[in-house]
Amino acid sequence: MQLRYNYRAYPNAFQRGALADAFGCARVVWNDCLRDRKDAHAAGLPYVTSAELSRLRITQAKRTEERAWLADVSAVVLQQSLRDLDTAYKNFFDSVKGKRQGRKVGPPRYKSKKDTRQSIRLNTNAFCLKSDGTVYVAKVGNLKVKWSRRLPSAPTSLTVTKDSSGRYFLSFVVDTEPDTLPEVEAETGVDLGLSAFAVLSDGRKIDSPRFLRRAEKKLKRLQRELSRKAKGSKNRAKARMKVARQHARVADRRRDFHHKASTQIIRDNQAVYVEDLAVSGLCRTRLAKSVHDAGWSSFVCMLEYKAALYGRTFAKVDRAFPSSQVCSACGFRDGPKPLHVREWTCKGCGAAHDRDHNAARNVLCEGRRIVAAGRAETLNACGAPVRRAHVPAQRGETGSSRRGQTTQVSIPEP
């Protein structure tokens, strides 16, 4: 399976300029190739192939006066930008044909130099890890990196990213084997909420930290200062950077909380079941800010890929399942209840229930039923583990390795 590891990079002034050139050249190649394909589609011409675009918009463009500066950056950056465009078109076509699951994917769009997030992608021909702890990037130089932990194996690709707050990150994708944990008997159902971030079927509650709400006062002040600055001025750019840094702090704290909570749940339980919430629908209600602050979707994604990484069973319970209406003791369906009702008594057996704990226990029972029906990944009839599907690298940083693994010689230990 593939894992992604992110590290903070600290380029000097010259390297920041070189990276800015690389970001700009990759964006120009993307826009030029996208324009050619859009024009061909509008004119009723055949789909322009990648080979033709590479020859026209990269090789020949370097020899023209208008695009001669494309030669100042690594050719790998330009080729990877074209490959990313091909991937975007493939996702769009697969979504239109119904081959891609999930929400519909729109066609590729033009990139702007005013985008606050810029990135380039490199393969092993354009970067290498040095023995002194730096990372060499072609036509950029040796980048200073803060190694927070080891890489489990040699990386296969590198993405250099500059976020909205001006920070630089190196994202390595590595191929590694699943790190299977020792089996345990415990299983759990997880009910996600707002008053408590998560309630487990064994009664444990994970409090909601509400990172955005806690930073809201400072964010309001910084955004007021930003709104008073003249558009296009340097003071406005400085104020925008302050707002972006504060938002980045909130996002970093939330991501760290999600990683710690999800890893603990996966390590303590052999099987984890969670309700498949309609997050996009809830984000259009009056609870939108609180839902975004909780970050349920990213948390569930972490549970899913960490279950595959550590050899655990994971299943989602359908959102139509009435987890809050059914008594977990006798199975009597007591009907829907408003959100302010946090405790209720079953009319069938008289058991008193905490709303969230009862829902978590129902999610556990329904998850076990789904696994028993064979709709989730588990052991087969002979007791042999079912072969797991390919797990691509996640967008966010992966969890830490459970045990020490062989590290490439050129990567320093943290």
Side-chain angles (χ1 to χ4, degrees):
M1 63 184 301
Q2 290 182 332
L3 297 180
R4 186 182 298 276
Y5 289 83
N6 293 335
Y7 301 91
R8 181 80 179 271
Y10 297 89
N12 56 35
F14 170 79
Q15 292 169 343
R16 288 195 296 269
L19 287 173
D21 294 339
F23 295 148
C25 291
R27 182 183 64 250
V28 168
V29 169
W30 170 286
N31 289 341
D32 287 347
C33 296
L34 179 58
R35 187 179 301 108
D36 288 347
R37 285 180 173 170
K38 284 182 175 291
D39 292 344
H41 177 72
L45 299 176
Y47 181 80
V48 186
T49 63
S50 301
E52 180 65 19
L53 289 176
S54 177
R55 181 183 62 82
L56 181 64
R57 291 303 178 183
I58 298 179
T59 305
Q60 294 184 1
K62 293 179 181 179
R63 302 169 185 170
T64 63
E65 185 177 354
E66 295 81 7
R67 294 285 190 266
W69 33 264
L70 289 177
D72 296 338
V73 303
S74 172
V76 175
V77 172
L78 309 181
Q79 292 291 343
Q80 289 294 327
S81 181
L82 177 56
R83 292 180 182 177
D84 290 343
L85 179 63
D86 292 338
T87 302
Y89 264 107
K90 182 180 183 301
N91 293 337
F92 169 61
F93 293 145
D94 290 345
S95 179
V96 171
K97 296 177 182 178
K99 297 180 180 179
R100 181 183 175 90
Q101 297 180 353
R103 301 177 64 181
K104 293 295 183 181
V105 177
R109 296 181 293 181
Y110 293 108
K111 294 184 178 181
S112 172
K113 65 179 180 181
K114 295 183 180 179
D115 291 341
T116 56
R117 185 183 183 277
Q118 304 284 343
S119 65
I120 56 173
R121 198 182 311 277
L122 306 165
N123 58 24
T124 53
N125 295 327
F127 76 95
C128 66
L129 308 176
K130 296 292 186 178
S131 58
D132 59 354
T134 61
V135 177
Y136 172 76
V137 177
K139 294 194 176 182
V140 174
N142 296 329
L143 295 177
K144 183 181 178 181
V145 183
K146 179 64 175 179
W147 295 102
S148 55
R149 54 183 171 170
R150 310 178 190 180
L151 285 174
S153 61
T156 58
S157 70
L158 167 65
T159 302
V160 183
T161 305
K162 179 185 178 183
D163 66 4
S164 59
S165 59
R167 301 179 300 176
Y168 292 85
F169 292 93
L170 302 184
S171 178
F172 297 94
V173 174
V174 300
D175 292 320
T176 184
E177 296 297 325
D179 184 17
T180 305
L181 290 170
E183 292 189 6
V184 294
E185 296 182 358
E187 297 181 350
T188 188
V190 182
D191 179 70
L192 301 175
L194 296 177
S195 56
F197 175 76
V199 178
L200 307 185
S201 56
D202 59 3
R204 288 184 296 166
K205 289 188 177 182
I206 302 177
D207 294 331
S208 180
R210 296 185 176 89
F211 296 107
L212 180 61
R213 295 290 186 180
R214 286 158 52 184
E216 209 167 21
K217 182 177 180 181
K218 186 174 183 179
L219 277 171
K220 287 181 179 179
R221 177 177 59 82
L222 294 176
Q223 288 167 347
R224 281 198 303 267
E225 295 176 358
L226 174 62
S227 65
R228 293 167 182 164
K229 302 296 187 294
K231 292 185 177 181
S233 64
K234 292 185 177 180
N235 285 335
R236 185 178 178 85
K238 294 178 182 178
R240 188 206 64 80
M241 188 65 70
K242 291 181 180 179
V243 174
R245 287 173 179 168
Q246 184 62 23
H247 276 292
R249 292 191 188 100
V250 173
D252 290 344
R253 292 166 184 167
R254 182 187 299 115
R255 188 182 306 109
D256 180 70
F257 167 74
H258 285 168
H259 273 298
K260 291 178 179 178
S262 60
T263 301
Q264 190 64 41
I265 291 175
I266 290 296
R267 288 180 175 175
D268 293 345
N269 299 278
Q270 185 64 30
V272 177
Y273 312 109
V274 64
E275 188 175 6
D276 185 18
L277 298 173
V279 178
S280 59
L282 291 171
C283 290
R284 294 193 292 268
T285 66
R286 60 184 180 86
L287 301 174
K289 183 180 288 189
S290 298
V291 172
H292 283 299
D293 193 10
W296 292 332
S297 182
S298 61
F299 178 73
V300 172
C301 288
M302 290 181 186
L303 286 176
E304 186 172 7
Y305 87 79
K306 288 181 181 181
L309 173 63
Y310 294 123
R312 301 306 199 198
T313 299
F314 177 84
K316 290 182 180 179
V317 175
D318 189 82
R319 65 189 61 171
F321 176 71
S323 59
S324 298
Q325 303 179 24
V326 177
C327 173
S328 59
C330 66
F332 177 76
R333 186 165 180 174
D334 206 14
K337 303 168 186 63
L339 289 177
H340 69 271
V341 177
R342 309 313 302 174
E343 296 180 356
W344 57 283
T345 302
C346 176
K347 297 178 181 179
C349 63
H353 294 295
D354 175 82
R355 181 192 183 108
D356 298 330
H357 184 209
N358 178 74
R361 294 178 63 183
N362 286 329
V363 168
L364 173 62
C365 294
E366 179 67 10
R368 287 173 173 170
R369 188 191 66 81
I370 292 174
V371 170
R375 288 188 285 156
E377 188 175 312
T378 182
L379 301 179
N380 62 19
C382 300
V386 178
R387 187 172 184 179
R388 298 182 181 274
H390 174 71
V391 180
Q394 303 295 312
R395 290 178 178 267
E397 188 177 3
T398 64
S400 300
S401 300
R402 176 174 60 91
R403 59 177 183 269
Q405 298 181 0
T406 304
T407 306
Q408 194 174 357
V409 176
S410 58
I411 305 176
E413 296 187 10

